[in-house]
């Protein structure tokens, strides 16, 4: 059976099995994750014999809250944004719409949620979930239209904003607006920006009363000792965070140049990936995979292909060679 490459990125083991051995190491550009992870993980000492103390979880939320620019009481750590979205969705009542195309999870997290196009999102009724920056097209909304969407729902419905990629573009985040009297939920991912998806760490930001209900669903010890220790240290590394934002923007510009020289128009404003649109997308996916470069196709948009950032100049040159010469 051929693997479903369109379900999510990161299916590297399946790609190796399906496309076979290569003279070059496989390069996974299917996930949109920072290819240069936070390096401090090598210096951490983690106690694997004890359960995490509740105080350490609160300390993680406090450290993250400084990075987010909100009070710690509005921050709830979760074992990955995926779980945070699905648990929060169980607590949302009434009609809900999800903006499409975007994350598959958005359409599954609230039972009966209805898809709506980006052009209709501002006028849609009920609670609304969207991503900013969006995946897979990298669409980035300024604060103004988001504030309009929030104002329309004031006191009646929720605005849920998935900011999994927003560490790269903090100026557009709605996190400073999280408050007890505002029906606003923000979802943040740790693994994408810090390049450590395997840690399985995310955050839900919202009114304290909502987070109390969310924590009841999570139960005791929702995070591993490793996730807590890594998150605390990484969010405290302000120098690396600032430097990485600049580096990712420069790397994205390099990827844009390669795509343009190869005859493709790069789409998106998220520095961690670019989307290209071509009728030959299925053939291009196959050609890249046979050169041991895994990208991300999409079943609903077969003319799309998402390409993550190569790790270095050698990887970028290798991608360009296959794009231009096969």
């Amino acid at each position: 059976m051929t693997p479903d490459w369109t379900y999510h990125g990161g299916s590297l083991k399946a790609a190796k099995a399906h496309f076979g051995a290569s003279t070059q190491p496989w390069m996974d550009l299917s996930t949109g994750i920072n290819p240069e992870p936070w390096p401090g993980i090598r210096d951490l000492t983690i106690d694997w014999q004890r359960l995490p103390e509740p105080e350490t979880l609160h300390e993680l939320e406090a450290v993250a809250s400084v990075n987010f620019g909100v009070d710690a009481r509005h921050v709830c750590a979760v074992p990955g944004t995926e779980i945070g979205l699905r648990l929060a969705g169980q607590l949302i009542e009434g009609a809900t719409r999800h903006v499409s195309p975007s994350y598959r999870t958005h359409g599954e997290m609230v039972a009966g949620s209805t898809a709506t196009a980006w052009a209709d999102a501002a006028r849609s009724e009920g609670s609304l979930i969207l991503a900013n920056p969006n995946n897979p097209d990298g669409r980035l909304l300024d604060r103004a239209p988001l504030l309009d969407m929030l104002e329309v729902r004031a006191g009646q419905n929720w605005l849920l904003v998935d900011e999994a990629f927003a560490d790269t573009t903090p100026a557009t985040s709605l996190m400073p607006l999280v408050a007890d009297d505002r029906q606003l939920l923000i979802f943040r991912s740790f693994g994408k920006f810090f390049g450590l998806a395997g840690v399985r760490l995310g955050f839900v930001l919202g009114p304290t009363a909502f987070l109390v209900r969310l924590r009841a669903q999570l139960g005791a010890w929702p995070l591993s000792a490793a996730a807590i220790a890594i998150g605390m240290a990484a969010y405290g590394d302000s120098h690396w965070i600032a430097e990485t934002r600049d580096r990712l923007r420069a790397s994205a510009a390099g990827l844009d140049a390669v795509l343009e020289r190869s005859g493709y128009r790069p789409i998106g404003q998220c520095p961690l990936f670019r989307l290209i649109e071509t009728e030959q997308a299925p053939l291009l996916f196959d050609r890249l995979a046979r050169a041991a470069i895994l990208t991300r196709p999409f079943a609903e948009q077969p003319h799309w292909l998402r390409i993550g950032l190569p790790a270095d100049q050698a990887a970028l040159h290798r991608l360009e060679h296959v794009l231009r010469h096969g």
Side-chain angles (χ1 to χ4, degrees):
M1 180 182 296
T2 302
D4 184 3
W5 313 110
T6 68
Y7 190 77
H8 58 70
S11 302
L12 189 58
K13 184 176 180 179
K16 291 178 179 179
H18 182 76
F19 292 101
S22 172
T23 57
Q24 298 194 70
W26 272 85
M27 185 161 65
D28 188 0
L29 304 183
S30 69
T31 61
I33 292 172
N34 184 352
E36 294 188 42
W38 178 69
I41 193 171
R42 297 188 294 266
D43 302 323
L44 295 180
T45 300
I46 298 168
D47 186 353
W48 291 103
Q49 291 188 291
R50 294 181 57 83
L51 289 168
E53 299 288 349
E55 291 76 10
T56 61
L57 182 62
H58 299 326
E59 290 171 10
L60 166 63
E61 292 169 346
V63 172
S65 73
V66 174
N67 184 274
F68 297 156
V70 299
D71 192 285
R73 64 193 179 91
H74 293 303
V75 179
C76 177
V78 293
T81 309
E82 168 81 6
I83 290 178
L85 286 163
R86 293 184 183 276
L87 291 181
Q90 296 177 15
L91 302 176
I92 300 297
E93 299 177 350
T96 304
R97 294 181 180 273
H98 58 278
V99 178
S100 181
S102 191
Y103 288 98
R104 187 190 304 266
T105 302
H106 293 177
E108 300 172 348
M109 58 182 284
V110 179
S113 181
T114 304
T116 186
W118 279 95
D120 301 324
R123 301 188 301 273
S124 64
E125 297 180 353
S127 296
L128 178 71
I129 179 165
L130 55 86
N132 194 47
N134 190 46
N135 174 52
D137 59 8
R139 180 194 300 262
L140 182 64
L141 297 180
D142 293 329
R143 275 192 181 182
L146 292 169
L147 291 174
D148 289 342
M149 295 179 196
L150 183 60
E151 181 63 28
V152 166
R153 288 164 180 80
Q156 298 179 1
N157 298 289
W158 290 89
L159 177 65
L160 300 89
V161 186
D162 187 339
E163 294 187 351
F165 288 104
D167 286 283
T168 60
T169 54
T172 61
S173 174
L174 288 188
M175 286 192 299
L177 298 181
V178 172
D180 285 333
D181 60 351
R182 190 171 285 135
Q183 289 180 274
L184 171 66
L185 293 179
I186 305 291
F187 302 85
R188 295 298 289 252
S189 169
F190 172 82
K192 292 179 173 60
F193 179 77
F194 289 92
L196 297 169
V199 173
R200 303 311 303 140
L201 175 61
F203 298 87
V204 179
L205 290 80
T208 54
F210 186 93
L211 298 187
V212 167
R213 298 169 63 200
L214 182 64
R215 287 191 174 96
Q217 287 188 310
L218 288 166
W221 308 295
L223 300 182
S224 69
I228 293 174
I230 294 168
M232 286 180 61
Y235 277 115
D237 194 346
S238 57
H239 175 75
W240 183 89
I241 291 172
E243 186 178 70
T244 298
R245 284 176 179 145
D246 291 338
R247 177 180 56 78
L248 290 175
R249 283 191 287 268
S251 296
L255 178 58
D256 286 343
V258 163
L259 293 173
E260 289 168 356
R261 287 197 297 268
S262 303
Y264 302 103
R265 180 176 68 88
I267 299 170
Q269 297 170 275
C270 178
L272 286 169
F273 60 85
R274 286 294 186 262
L275 187 75
I276 60 173
E277 186 172 5
T278 169
E279 295 298 324
Q280 303 301 312
L283 294 176
L284 181 58
F285 169 81
D286 188 78
R287 175 152 59 91
L288 288 166
R290 295 188 185 283
I293 300 175
L294 184 61
T295 54
R296 173 73 191 280
F298 300 90
E300 296 81 5
Q301 293 87 20
H303 52 292
W304 283 3
L305 200 65
R306 193 187 67 190
I307 303 174
L309 286 184
D312 50 35
Q313 283 299 312
L316 187 63
H317 291 326
R318 180 180 158 194
L319 173 65
E320 181 171 14
H321 178 79
V322 178
L323 286 174
R324 299 182 69 178
H325 307 294

